[in-house]
Amino acid sequence: MEPDIGDVREVTVGDCTDCYYLDTGMYDVPEYGAAYILDDERPAVVETGLGTNHELILEALDELGIERSALEVIAVTHIHLDHAGGAGFLAEACPNADVYVPAAGAGLLIDPERLVAGTKAAVGEQWEYYVEPRPLDEERVVEIEDGDVVDLGDHELRVHEAPGHAFHQVVFEDPANDAVFTGDAAGIWVPSTEEIRETSPPSDFHLEQCLEDCETLKSIDPDVLCYTHYGPREVGDDVDRALEEYATVLGEWVDAVETKRAELGDDDAVIEHFATSSEMVDVWGEEKATAEAAMNTRGVLGHLDGRD
């Protein structure tokens, strides 16, 4: 029987230990959004979802026997609300946990007014699946940067900057598991079809930096990629091929949007074209597939404007 949304699943690929994940039911789409839990001397939650279903993460902690007062680390790869929207709710429920946030974006989780406005502009009608984030207490925020290490005990989270998807993004390397929590730096993994998809939202997407992020991940050379979207993937010796595949997907995607813009000469028409021709309808449903394609198209158009 396939696990349901909210069910705790052990990461069993590669040589991973003490690592679990759950489907947070993001956007009411199965296998789209994951949160991870490392059960260690200093237990950690990596990625927090939209906040809408943050109770599922708390229930997962309960199931794993991790007292809420024992949780010490809440870590997010970047401040986009599909990754960090639940941080304030989890911090409220887990009073001894600090929230580890990339320094470049930490202030926007402490005072999220501008972040919420930007998110609404980026996601449009998808906002109905979000919840207003709880502001973080500044005293409980630990700002992290490239080269920092979060010690959990047997495991640690080594911080590597990865600003292509967003200027405030990092990835977390877990050497003990030979794994990396990728955020959005390695794209969207679709386990049901075993394909990688682009993610290029406005307003910070930058193709060349995304390609550099792929090189960063290659240099780490992990055995397992733990995607927020979605789930753990064992790549083993094929990690370079997996990341080259994403680099190719991104390059072809940007080229397609640029070509269609030259053909149609109207950005609204370009967005409409890609939104109504998404290949992901059968996987994510029409609503999410259409909205995702429109958002990603807007991100590329903004990037192309920045090149001019």
Side-chain angles (χ1 to χ4, degrees), residues 282-302:
D282 290 342
V283 178
W284 296 335
E286 183 175 359
E287 181 182 8
K288 178 55 183 170
T290 299
E292 185 79 11
M295 181 176 66
N296 285 332
T297 305
R298 289 197 302 272
V300 173
L301 292 170

Side-chain angles (χ1 to χ4, degrees), residues 1-276:
M1 180 182 297
E2 289 294 318
D4 292 327
I5 288 171
D7 287 351
V8 177
R9 318 171 196 203
E10 185 175 5
V11 177
T12 57
V13 297
D15 295 321
C16 288
T17 60
D18 309 318
C19 189
Y20 303 85
Y21 73 111
L22 65 143
D23 185 338
T24 64
M26 192 177 293
Y27 303 110
D28 289 346
V29 175
E31 296 192 337
Y32 186 84
Y36 292 86
I37 298 171
L38 283 164
D39 187 2
D40 207 338
E41 182 181 339
R42 300 182 68 223
V45 167
V46 181
E47 308 286 60
T48 71
L50 296 170
T52 314
N53 296 333
H54 70 276
E55 296 92 346
L56 295 177
I57 301 175
L58 296 173
E59 291 167 5
L61 293 173
D62 295 341
E63 184 172 338
L64 292 170
I66 300 172
E67 296 288 338
R68 296 177 187 185
S69 60
L71 187 73
E72 293 198 29
V73 173
I74 299 166
V76 298
T77 59
H78 59 298
I79 65 167
H80 287 167
L81 291 180
D82 55 333
H83 296 253
F89 295 96
L90 295 182
E92 187 176 88
C94 303
N96 295 315
D98 287 327
V99 185
Y100 291 74
V101 183
L108 291 173
L109 287 181
I110 293 168
D111 180 4
E113 183 177 353
R114 287 194 297 125
L115 177 60
V116 168
T119 303
K120 288 180 177 179
V123 305
E125 292 182 1
Q126 288 187 93
W127 179 256
E128 67 177 292
Y129 295 103
Y130 289 70
V131 64
E132 291 277 346
R134 297 276 174 87
L136 293 177
D137 182 343
E138 186 171 1
E139 294 182 356
R140 295 180 62 188
V141 171
V142 179
E143 296 187 4
I144 52 176
E145 297 180 330
D146 187 67
D148 287 344
V149 177
V150 184
D151 186 3
L152 305 179
D154 291 332
H155 300 267
E156 59 187 20
L157 300 176
R158 296 183 182 176
V159 180
H160 301 263
E161 67 178 357
H165 174 81
F167 71 91
H168 42 79
Q169 180 177 249
V170 302
V171 299
F172 296 117
E173 176 191 2
D174 174 1
N177 277 336
D178 199 5
V180 171
F181 299 94
T182 64
D184 288 331
I188 293 177
W189 173 243
V190 185
S192 62
T193 59
E194 296 190 343
E195 64 181 315
I196 198 75
R197 301 293 304 188
E198 68 278 349
T199 174
S200 57
S203 57
D204 303 314
F205 169 73
H206 190 286
L207 174 61
E208 288 72 26
Q209 288 183 339
C210 281
L211 300 180
E212 290 176 12
D213 294 344
C214 287
E215 295 301 315
T216 295
L217 289 166
K218 285 183 190 178
S219 70
I220 299 170
D221 192 27
D223 186 47
V224 175
L225 298 174
C226 292
Y227 294 85
T228 309
H229 314 290
Y230 167 81
R233 175 191 182 191
E234 185 174 11
V235 290
D237 293 336
D238 288 332
V239 62
D240 283 7
R241 181 193 59 78
L243 292 164
E244 282 297 336
E245 179 186 8
Y246 183 50
T248 299
V249 165
L250 271 180
E252 290 178 349
W253 167 236
V254 172
D255 287 347
V257 174
E258 187 170 24
T259 299
K260 188 58 67 173
R261 176 188 249 185
E263 175 190 329
L264 298 178
D266 178 78
D267 283 358
D268 288 340
V270 174
I271 294 166
E272 178 71 13
H273 167 79
F274 287 106
T276 57

